[in-house]
């Protein structure tokens, strides 16, 4: 499969990070391209951080052990 490098947890974290990043700028009038840019940057940072940083958190343990 060409998308075998995408893990389900990466997609979930990226979606959440993009929504949170755009939501924090909700009181500012941003254009659609700005919302897309903010969301994509947050998603990329989230996936890179999740992949390369070792953070011991309860949420990470729960998501790894969930079916």
């Amino acid at each position: 499969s060409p998308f075998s490098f995408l893990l389900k947890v990466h997609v979930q974290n990226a979606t959440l990070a993009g929504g949170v990043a755009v939501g924090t700028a909700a009181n500012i009038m941003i254009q659609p391209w700005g919302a897309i840019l903010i969301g994509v940057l947050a998603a990329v940072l989230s996936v890179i951080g999740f992949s390369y940083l070792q953070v011991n958190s309860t949420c990470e343990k729960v998501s790894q052990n969930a079916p």
Side-chain angles (χ1 to χ4, degrees):
S1 169
F3 297 110
S4 61
F5 64 92
L6 286 176
L7 298 176
K8 194 183 326 182
V9 69
H10 290 161
V11 174
Q12 292 170 341
N13 285 341
T15 304
L16 183 62
V20 168
V22 172
T24 58
N27 61 343
I28 302 170
M29 186 62 112
I30 55 176
Q31 299 294 323
W33 63 267
I36 292 171
L37 181 66
I38 292 169
V40 167
L41 287 175
V44 168
L45 286 174
S46 172
V47 171
I48 289 172
F50 186 81
S51 297
Y52 296 109
L53 296 177
Q54 296 297 323
V55 178
N56 295 325
S57 70
T58 309
C59 296
E60 180 183 336
K61 301 301 181 198
V62 171
S63 67
Q64 288 177 350
N65 294 326

